[in-house]
């Protein structure tokens, strides 16, 4: 119950942005929702099931392209987004059945290779995707202001859906099974958990969320090209956000996304040429000093004065 | 016969690839760490060779020693001061750590050396070998020979030296090794240092083949991945077999499908092998 | 009575090594059977074969008359065949009750999360672990972790419970407790297979003993018969000793 109240609070806070904020704030809030959505999606496979997936960029790019190609053929954008989500879900289920029996680094590399291959495939299929030239998805008949608001609310809705899904999954049999798998897969198997099914479910769920966000992103920026949407940073950033907020927790990915965006903005503005280096240093510091995320630090800090209980 | 030429190109490239992968494979196999920094280490080796040649007139084949030594020091330091702290943490942590370090180092190199591709042009090239239908610059052959020699030396080091035995012991069973008096943290640092050393040496040799830029690090890292998966993990012979195999596959792939598909081919191969032969083509399982 | 578990000429090889060789055995409903053998005799491998962790490379395994030789492990677990681990394997970051609830939920046929937790608390009561229910599993003492394994096994609502070296590392008082618990489990209608390398421990509770040596079954019979079997004495104490007692 408590989770749902927090969710409502989050929505209320976000919904205030377009009322009071300027366009810059609206843009940041949209990116924040995008990041939070990616982090929440990755959390299903990476946090709950404990599988270090780097396939996020593959799903992001796949979603963006499926939706862009469909829209170029005249499909309305909402239908194209949904189609992108389902295409990625099926793709992830098939790929997942093939690579989810790999453990640790092997899985990580296989999932990374999926990104590379998919990017090249899209690059090569010029007839359909425009190849390296990219693809335009103009959105006609709407002022820039209206568009900015529209995409903010769409992105927010998606984040809320994913957050709700996270709450439901983590308190359900699926989430419980995934936690078992992440801690000891052999024991989970012996305990009667259909580990393959659970892992594939988590991977597909993750792909579904990421792909729809990718599709919305494509419509928002109105132009995509392979190196942009298949950027490996889309695989890495959600992972860092989740680490920042707390692996496998419910609100950790959202908190991590907010913190990450704040850091990114600060770094971008002040250290333009070395922003990647500063980001790298932050990641290093995070792994070394806050391996359980800021959430854990906060909890520990709260525990200390609790003498009376 | 064009195929002989393609095969020869592939084998020469493959020798250099073996050297790229040997250190990466060692670190992965022994420490269970995927060193994302490896590609950047290689590029750093190339820059050391480039500057040594341009400013001091030192031939890249000689720079192998200085680049190797410098990178060893960097590697040793990185492992002992940073990675050792989280060596027991889940895979995700070490992976993220080396990724962060790579962002840092690569970005600093971009700032210091700029992104543009530079070429190391030898003033006195050795000429070329003509063997029937096959043409090959002698410098490349020498670079390949040196790369294979270095890889072989690493192999001997692991097999015959005290340190090498300790590294193997840590690889087999970390706990047992520490109970037998092996200083595991120190061996970790030496292993990572050796991995970086091989990267530096490989970079220096590659400087006469590839244009040099920090942007190349991802490409080298990708190759190291593919070679390790092809040859099986954690063994030097595996790296040699995987390296030669990738070199040949890339050369033939380039003439059959076009050079722009090299990455697609090698990564598709990687996924297929992981799915169907996760122990590599040699069939020996390394360290998981 | 028909056999609950039946092994027909079961073998398991790992590359060139034959860990279990041509073992045929049947276990009846309601029995307490001890599986003995010196270290490295193939006992744990045999358990792994039955539970589907390392499926048999030869022969077949039947459970309640159904062929389960090549069934995936999780299905075997759901069909009523539970085991504990020699090296206890809890989910380390979960609480004790969560560990048991997982067993109840995924293999024990509990209808939902709530029912699973209720069942789990009951099993913890039975195993004498109720006090530790909300403790993190990795913080338990060894004796308590073994009890947790019992509770998990029971929560799976098994027809056959295989206990792999549940006594290793316990002191004699703790072993006594464990044996008492085993008898109570058997009284509730669960068939039990106890895997042990120390003979003394199982003699008192077992109806029947099986002895494995170098992967082969060398004895199958009442405890009194088996302990006097020459091959068994040889396996345990060496040939010389066997000859001496013969004389």
């Amino acid at each position: 119950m408590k989770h749902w109240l927090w969710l409502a609070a989050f929505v209320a806070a976000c919904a205030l942005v377009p009322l009071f904020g300027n366009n810059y704030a609206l843009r940041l809030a949209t990116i924040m929702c995008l990041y939070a959505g990616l982090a929440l999606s990755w959390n299903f496979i990476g946090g709950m099931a404990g599988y270090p997936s780097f396939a996020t960029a593959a799903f992001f790019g796949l979603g963006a392209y499926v939706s862009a190609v469909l829209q170029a053929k005249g499909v309305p954008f909402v239908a194209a987004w949904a189609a992108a989500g389902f295409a990625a879900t099926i793709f992830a289920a098939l790929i997942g059945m093939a690579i989810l029996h790999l453990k640790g680094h092997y899985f990580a590399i296989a999932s990374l290779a999926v990104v590379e291959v998919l990017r090249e495939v899209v690059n090569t299929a010029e007839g359909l995707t425009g190849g390296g030239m990219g693809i335009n998805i103009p959105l006609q008949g709407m002022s820039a202001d209206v568009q900015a608001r529209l995409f903010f609310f769409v992105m927010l809705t998606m984040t809320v859906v994913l957050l709700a899904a996270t709450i439901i999954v983590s308190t359900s049999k699926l989430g419980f099974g995934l936690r078992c798998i992440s801690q000891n897969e052999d024991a989970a198997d012996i305990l009667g958990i259909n580990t393959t099914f659970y892992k594939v479910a988590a991977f597909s769920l993750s792909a579904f969320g990421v792909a729809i966000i990718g599709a919305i992103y494509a419509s928002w920026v109105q132009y995509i090209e392979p190196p942009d949407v298949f950027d490996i940073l889309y695989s890495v950033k959600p992972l860092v956000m989740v680490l920042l907020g707390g692996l496998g927790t419910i609100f950790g990915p959202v908190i991590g996304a907010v913190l990450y965006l704040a850091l990114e903005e600060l770094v971008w503005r002040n250290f333009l040429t070395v922003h990647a280096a500063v980001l790298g240093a932050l990641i290093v510091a995070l792994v070394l000093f806050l391996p359980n995320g800021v959430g854990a630090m906060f909890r520990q800090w709260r525990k200390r004065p609790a003498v009376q209980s | 016969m064009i195929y002989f030429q393609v095969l020869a190109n592939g084998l020469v490239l493959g020798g250099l690839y073996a050297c790229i992968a040997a250190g990466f494979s060692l670190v992965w196999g022994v420490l269970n760490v995927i060193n994302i920094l490896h590609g950047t280490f290689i590029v750093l080796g190339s820059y050391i060779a480039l500057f040594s040649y341009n400013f001091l007139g030192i031939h890249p084949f000689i720079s192998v020693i200085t680049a190797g030594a410098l990178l060893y020091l960097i590697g040793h330091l990185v492992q002992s001061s940073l990675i050792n702290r989280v060596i027991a943490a889940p895979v995700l942590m070490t992976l993220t750590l080396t990724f962060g370090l790579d962002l840092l180092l690569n970005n600093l190199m971009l700032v210091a050396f700029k992104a543009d591709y530079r070429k190391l042009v030898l003033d006195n090239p050795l000429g070329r070998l003509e063997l029937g239908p096959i043409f090959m610059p002698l410098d490349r052959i020498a670079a390949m020979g040196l790369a294979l020699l270095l890889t072989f030396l690493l192999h001997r080091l692991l097999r015959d030296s005290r340190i090498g035995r300790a590294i193997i012991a840590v690889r087999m069973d970390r706990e047992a090794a520490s109970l037998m008096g092996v200083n595991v943290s120190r061996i970790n640092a030496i292993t990572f240092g050796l991995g970086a050393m091989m990267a530096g040496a490989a970079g220096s040799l590659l400087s006469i083949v590839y244009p040099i830029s920090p942007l190349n690090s991802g490409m080298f890292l990708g190759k190291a991945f593919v070679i390790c998966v092809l040859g099986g993990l954690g063994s030097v012979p595996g790296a040699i077999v995987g390296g030669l195999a990738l070199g040949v596959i890339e050369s033939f792939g380039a003439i059959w499908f076009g050079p722009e598909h090299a990455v697609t081919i090698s990564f598709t191969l990687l996924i297929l092998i992981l799915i169907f032969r996760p122990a590599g083509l040699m069939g020996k399982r390394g360290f998981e | 009575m028909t056999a609950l578990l039946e092994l027909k000429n079961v073998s398991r090889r790992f590359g060139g090594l034959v860990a279990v060789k041509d073992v045929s055995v049947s276990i009846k409903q309601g029995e307490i059977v001890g599986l003995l053998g010196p270290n490295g005799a193939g006992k744990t491998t045999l358990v792994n074969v039955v539970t589907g962790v390392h499926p048999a490379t030869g022969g077949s395994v039947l459970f309640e008359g159904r062929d389960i030789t090549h069934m995936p492990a999780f299905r075997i677990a759901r069909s009523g065949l539970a085991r504990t681990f020699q090296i206890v394997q809890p989910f380390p970051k979960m609480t004790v009750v969560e560990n048991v609830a997982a067993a109840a939920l995924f293999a024990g046929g509990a209808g939902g999360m709530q029912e699973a937790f209720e069942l789990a608390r009951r099993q913890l009561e039975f195993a004498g672990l109720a006090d530790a229910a909300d403790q993190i599993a990795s913080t338990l003492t060894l004796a308590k972790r073994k009890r947790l394994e019992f509770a998990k096994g029971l929560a799976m609502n098994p027809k056959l419970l295989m206990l792999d070296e549940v006594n290793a590392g316990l002191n004699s008082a703790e072993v006594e407790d464990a044996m008492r618990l085993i008898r109570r489990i058997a009284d509730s209608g669960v068939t039990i297979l106890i895997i042990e390398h120390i003979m003394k421990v199982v003699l008192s509770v077992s109806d029947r003993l099986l002895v494995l040596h170098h992967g082969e079954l060398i004895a199958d019979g009442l405890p009194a018969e088996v302990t006097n079997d020459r091959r068994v004495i040889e396996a345990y104490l060496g040939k010389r000793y066997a000859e001496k007692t013969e004389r």
Side-chain angles (χ1 to χ4, degrees), chain B residues 208-276:
Chain B
I208 62 165
V209 180
Y210 281 99
I212 302 160
S213 161
L215 301 178
N216 270 347
S217 69
M219 177 191 70
F220 290 134
L221 181 66
K223 288 194 197 301
F225 277 146
V226 178
I227 294 163
C228 276
V229 171
L230 272 174
L233 187 61
S235 80
V236 175
I240 295 178
V241 171
L244 292 174
L246 181 67
V248 172
I249 290 165
E250 278 190 357
S251 307
F252 279 98
I255 62 159
W256 285 334
F257 303 101
E260 69 273 21
H261 296 301
V263 174
T264 322
I265 294 167
S266 55
F267 275 98
T268 309
L269 204 67
L270 179 146
I271 295 179
L272 291 178
I273 289 177
L274 277 177
I275 293 171
F276 296 108

Side-chain angles (χ1 to χ4, degrees), chain A residues 125-150:
Chain A
E126 283 175 10
L128 200 61
T129 63
M133 299 290 295
I135 188 167
N136 264 307
I137 329 153
L139 195 63
Q140 267 116 22
M142 241 186 266
S143 73
D145 253 22
V146 175
Q147 276 186 27
R149 265 152 224 267
L150 171 75

Side-chain angles (χ1 to χ4, degrees), chain C:
Chain C
M1 257 209 267
T2 56
L4 179 66
L5 178 73
E6 196 167 5
L7 274 61
K8 289 183 182 162
N9 311 97
V10 165
S11 299
R12 168 73 209 194
R13 29 172 86 243
F14 294 99
L17 178 82
V18 184
V20 170
K21 199 162 151 193
D22 202 24
V23 171
S24 296
V25 142
S26 79
I27 293 174
K28 291 189 210 75
Q29 178 87 48
E31 272 189 308
I32 303 182
V33 178
L35 174 61
L36 287 163
N39 278 324
K43 303 182 299 284
T44 297
T45 309
L46 193 64
V47 174
N48 283 339
V49 165
V50 172
T51 51
V53 176
H54 298 305
T57 45
S60 56
V61 183
L62 281 84
F63 186 60
E64 297 185 299
R66 262 197 311 164
D67 190 340
I68 59 164
T69 321
H70 298 290
M71 224 186 241
F74 75 90
R75 276 195 207 288
I76 295 177
R78 286 182 191 174
S79 70
L81 221 160
R83 76 175 287 189
T84 65
F85 285 92
Q86 180 177 359
I87 303 157
V88 285
Q89 297 199 355
F91 300 116
K93 291 178 197 157
M94 288 190 183
T95 61
V96 168
V97 67
E98 281 176 319
N99 264 276
V100 184
L105 184 64
F106 295 106
M113 296 281 273
Q114 205 176 348
E115 197 187 327
F117 277 88
E118 280 164 16
L119 262 167
R121 294 210 180 259
R122 231 174 299 146
Q123 294 301 357
L124 286 176
E125 198 86 44
F126 182 82
L129 261 183
D131 296 343
D134 296 310
Q135 222 172 310
I136 299 295
S138 58
T139 64
L140 291 180
T141 59
L142 181 68
K144 283 187 175 173
R145 259 185 281 167
K146 298 259 177 188
R147 279 167 179 267
L148 172 57
E149 284 291 310
F150 271 110
K152 264 164 70 180
L154 286 175
M156 290 167 78
N157 195 16
K159 296 174 185 125
L160 174 65
L161 181 58
M162 300 197 266
L163 304 165
D164 196 355
E165 308 254 343
V166 279
N167 300 302
L170 300 189
N171 64 35
S172 54
E174 288 165 343
V175 171
E176 284 286 306
D177 283 346
M179 289 302 126
R180 223 169 292 142
L181 195 56
I182 291 174
R183 224 172 268 127
R184 278 175 61 200
I185 296 168
D187 289 344
S188 71
V190 179
T191 309
I192 291 176
L193 181 70
I194 310 172
I195 294 96
E196 263 295 345
H197 71 280
I198 307 167
M199 197 180 277
K200 200 181 79 188
V201 177
V202 282
L203 277 178
S204 59
V205 284
S206 303
D207 301 325
R208 190 151 66 94
L209 290 183
L210 310 170
V211 182
L212 214 55
H213 186 47
H214 292 319
E216 286 178 88
L217 193 67
I218 56 168
D220 176 358
L222 297 173
E225 295 167 17
V226 169
T227 45
N228 288 319
D229 187 295
R230 191 191 149 136
R231 296 221 295 165
V232 174
I233 297 168
E234 260 182 40
Y236 264 86
L237 303 166
K239 211 164 191 169
R240 277 240 190 93
Y241 191 87
E243 276 162 7
K244 225 184 276 171
T245 49
E246 198 111 305
R247 250 178 259 145

Side-chain angles (χ1 to χ4, degrees), chain B residues 143-157:
Chain B
M144 172 211 169
L146 271 176
L148 286 177
L149 176 70
L150 280 169
T151 314
F152 177 73
L153 285 177
L154 178 71
H155 184 54
R156 299 306 304 186
L157 177 81

